[in-house]
Amino acid sequence: MSGQLMPCSPQEIGSLFLFEKLTPEQLGRLCSEGRVEKFEPGPVYTEGEPATCFYVMIEGGLVLSRRVGGDDVEVTRTAQPGVYCGAMQAYLGDRVRQVYNNSMRVTDTSRFFVMPADTFANIMQEWFPMAVHLLEGLFFGSKSTQRAIGQRERLLALGSLSAGLTHELNNPAAAAVRATATLRERVAKMRHKLAVISSGPYPREALVNLIEVQERTAERVAKAPTLSPLEAADREDAVTDWLDDHGIPDGWRLAPTFVQAGLDIDWLDQVAAAVDAEILPGAIGWLNYTVETELLMDEIEDSTSRISHLVDAAKQYSQLDRAPYQNADVHELLDSTLLMLSGKIGTRIQVVKEYDRTLPKVPCYPAELNQVWTNLIDNAVHAINGVGGEGTLTVRTALERDQLLVEFRDTGPGVPADIRGRIFDPFFTTKPVGEGTGLGLDISWRIVVNKHHGTLQVESEPGDTRFQVLLPLTAAADETSEESA
């Protein structure tokens, strides 16, 4: 928005604190190459537009705001003469994208000294070359430091995830190896028992009955009910007594296996009725091996399924085989991140999921949102560990007006009010030296706000800290065009 041109007085602009040390010649050049404009209340420039002018307020009032999600959030309101805004980084040239990083509107009839961005850059480089070099070093040095430490933070997170994933994979892998070795031993014994039975003086009909009982036993194992410890103990006692009464040796050793497989004395009575008394001990031993092999194969299946599930979760977390930008189910992203961090969360922290499964998918960068979840969960775990290591982490999703809410609530000590406004600043951390870079929340904020046009906020009191991520349900126009390209 252009204002009404007004006369430019070198003496007037020289009274502003920004120009008070300039010579009369320099002030004269500013007036000749710049201009004074009067603006009526309303918008002057909008965030994201090309930064074409540098503004210094002579009189009036202004408000600066940033776009967060679907809202304009006020960041500055002032009537102080000399405040400046607009193309403040013009001296960096095309090394950075020259756009307005906020929106400005005036609240009263106001006058501004306005310089074109190119003029401002030339004057800065000509009059203050040393200051420009220092500012360039500060700007690019800060960017470089943020990138380096951000990369370090991602590597630390990756190391933590890798350690947790390795631990999680090791348990089912070791269980599968143990079960496989035991299964090989049981199958060998089964072959031996089969040889003993087949070489005995048993009629063919008895062997057929035994094979039929074996098939029904295998089917029963697959449908075994889950018993309470008390129910299992009572059933083991009954099965042991039955085996002892029928002259089966080591009944106490066989009973737990039979009970685990869902076999009871009614089933044993059916077995006794199906085979001759002389073949019963051998048949029970043979069926015991059948039960054990079925249980071992179930254990191997469970272990390998767990490994497959972990690998799928790792792929979901990393999004290696997915498009960078897509419509994603946040619950899948949250579950994969929680699984990846399960080793770090441990057993003393209870994880509660309060998911609204009716929520639609959201357009997003899933891998980057997983990084946000990682940072927020890691902070919650650290907070709970600070109060003894026992507590609750609640992950909740809901529809908040026209946005999707993802909330992480922990029972830690809370974020003190005096630092709550700084926790999203780069390099600010409350963790001990060596444990945090201070970039986790800064990275999360930039991913949510800048990349997804959402909101990241915190509400905290002792025992109840909530980090809330709000994501738009529709893609921004720039993301839609980028995706179609």
Side-chain angles (χ1 to χ4, degrees):
M1 170 180 165
S2 297
Q4 178 185 352
L5 287 176
M6 305 288 292
C8 179
S9 165
Q11 291 76 20
E12 183 178 44
I13 64 172
S15 67
L16 304 174
F17 68 84
L18 192 63
F19 303 132
E20 61 186 0
K21 298 298 183 181
L22 298 184
T23 65
E25 292 77 12
Q26 290 173 321
L27 294 172
R29 179 178 173 183
L30 289 180
C31 271
S32 64
E33 298 190 20
R35 60 188 183 272
V36 173
E37 293 186 34
K38 182 171 74 172
F39 294 90
E40 297 301 327
V44 177
Y45 64 76
T46 303
E47 180 181 352
E49 293 178 344
T52 57
C53 294
F54 177 71
Y55 296 84
V56 183
M57 189 169 70
I58 300 173
E59 63 177 354
L62 64 80
V63 170
L64 298 179
S65 62
R66 293 291 305 271
R67 192 72 173 171
V68 180
D71 302 319
D72 286 318
V73 178
E74 182 178 312
V75 293
T76 301
R77 179 183 289 266
T78 182
Q80 179 183 354
V83 296
Y84 51 89
C85 55
M88 294 185 295
Q89 297 174 347
Y91 61 87
L92 296 172
D94 57 7
R95 287 173 292 177
V96 299
R97 187 167 172 242
Q98 294 294 337
V99 296
Y100 293 120
N101 60 12
N102 52 40
S103 298
M104 181 178 78
R105 62 182 175 88
V106 295
T107 55
D108 302 299
T109 300
S110 305
R111 288 191 302 130
F112 285 83
F113 174 69
V114 184
M115 267 195 295
D118 292 342
T119 301
F120 173 59
N122 292 335
I123 286 178
M124 283 287 293
Q125 292 163 357
E126 181 181 338
W127 291 355
F128 313 108
M130 182 176 177
V132 168
H133 286 306
L134 290 172
L135 289 170
E136 288 177 342
L138 179 63
F139 180 84
F140 291 111
S142 175
K143 291 287 187 183
S144 177
T145 301
Q146 285 192 35
R147 280 195 300 270
I149 297 184
Q151 181 69 17
R152 173 65 174 170
E153 174 124 332
R154 285 189 287 273
L155 288 173
L156 289 172
L158 179 60
S160 178
L161 287 171
S162 298
L165 181 59
T166 301
H167 174 76
E168 292 297 318
L169 285 170
N170 182 65
N171 290 335
V177 170
R178 287 194 303 268
T180 302
T182 306
L183 179 61
R184 180 176 288 109
E185 178 188 344
R186 294 297 183 271
V187 170
K189 289 184 177 179
M190 181 182 286
R191 288 197 301 266
H192 174 71
K193 180 67 71 173
L194 178 61
V196 171
I197 292 175
S198 62
S199 63
Y202 306 121
R204 182 174 182 277
E205 183 180 352
L207 295 178
V208 170
N209 290 340
L210 180 58
I211 296 299
E212 182 183 351
V213 169
Q214 181 188 28
E215 292 298 326
R216 287 192 282 115
T217 301
E219 292 175 2
R220 189 156 183 147
V221 172
K223 301 175 183 178
T226 301
L227 302 176
S228 69
L230 184 59
E231 290 173 330
D234 290 342
R235 187 171 292 187
E236 285 178 19
D237 290 340
V239 171
T240 300
D241 292 341
W242 190 97
L243 294 172
D244 290 342
D245 292 342
H246 289 76
I248 308 299
D250 297 330
W252 60 271
R253 184 178 60 81
L254 302 178
T257 303
F258 285 167
V259 170
Q260 183 183 355
L263 309 182
D264 53 20
I265 56 176
D266 291 336
W267 174 84
L268 291 172
D269 287 336
Q270 295 176 29
V271 173
V275 299
D276 296 335
E278 58 182 3
I279 201 177
L280 182 60
I284 292 295
W286 164 258
L287 294 177
N288 177 60
Y289 290 137
T290 300
V291 169
E292 286 187 332
T293 55
E294 289 294 324
L295 292 174
L296 287 168
M297 285 189 287
D298 286 345
E299 185 176 346
I300 293 172
E301 182 181 13
D302 290 342
S303 299
T304 52
S305 296
R306 172 70 174 165
I307 293 172
S308 177
H309 182 52
L310 286 166
V311 172
D312 286 343
K315 289 172 63 179
Q316 171 72 21
Y317 179 85
S318 63
Q319 295 287 310
L320 290 178
D321 59 347
R322 309 288 179 90
Y325 187 79
Q326 59 176 286
N327 289 319
D329 184 344
V330 293
H331 304 111
E332 293 180 358
L333 305 182
L334 290 167
D335 285 342
S336 66
T337 304
L338 286 168
L339 183 56
M340 291 297 96
L341 293 172
S342 58
K344 189 165 193 175
I345 294 172
T347 57
R348 300 176 66 195
I349 297 177
Q350 180 185 8
V351 177
V352 177
K353 299 178 184 179
E354 297 180 356
Y355 291 170
D356 181 355
R357 295 285 186 178
T358 65
L359 293 174
K361 293 183 177 181
V362 292
C364 64
Y365 294 88
E368 297 194 24
L369 283 186
N370 281 339
Q371 187 177 358
V372 174
W373 312 151
T374 300
N375 291 336
L376 297 181
I377 293 171
D378 181 72
N379 283 350
V381 171
H382 182 270
I384 294 173
N385 286 336
V387 290
E390 291 188 0
T392 302
L393 167 63
T394 303
V395 184
R396 182 171 72 93
T397 62
L399 186 64
E400 188 87 5
R401 297 187 299 275
D402 59 343
Q403 293 182 306
L404 187 148
L405 168 69
V406 181
E407 179 182 80
F408 299 85
R409 184 170 72 224
D410 69 71
T411 55
V415 181
D418 58 335
I419 66 170
R420 208 168 294 161
R422 302 168 55 200
I423 59 174
F424 296 111
D425 293 347
F427 309 113
F428 180 81
T429 180
T430 59
K431 296 178 181 177
V433 175
E435 289 189 20
T437 61
L439 281 180
L441 289 178
D442 170 58
I443 291 171
S444 299
W445 192 90
R446 285 189 280 115
I447 289 173
V448 172
V449 176
N450 296 342
K451 202 74 179 281
H452 291 85
H453 311 287
T455 305
L456 175 57
Q457 59 197 28
V458 61
E459 298 176 359
S460 183
E461 59 184 49
D464 186 2
T465 297
R466 307 180 184 207
F467 280 88
Q468 298 172 328
V469 176
L470 287 163
L471 299 170
L473 296 175
T474 55
D478 54 340
E479 302 295 355
T480 304
S481 60
E482 181 180 318
E483 184 181 13
S484 60

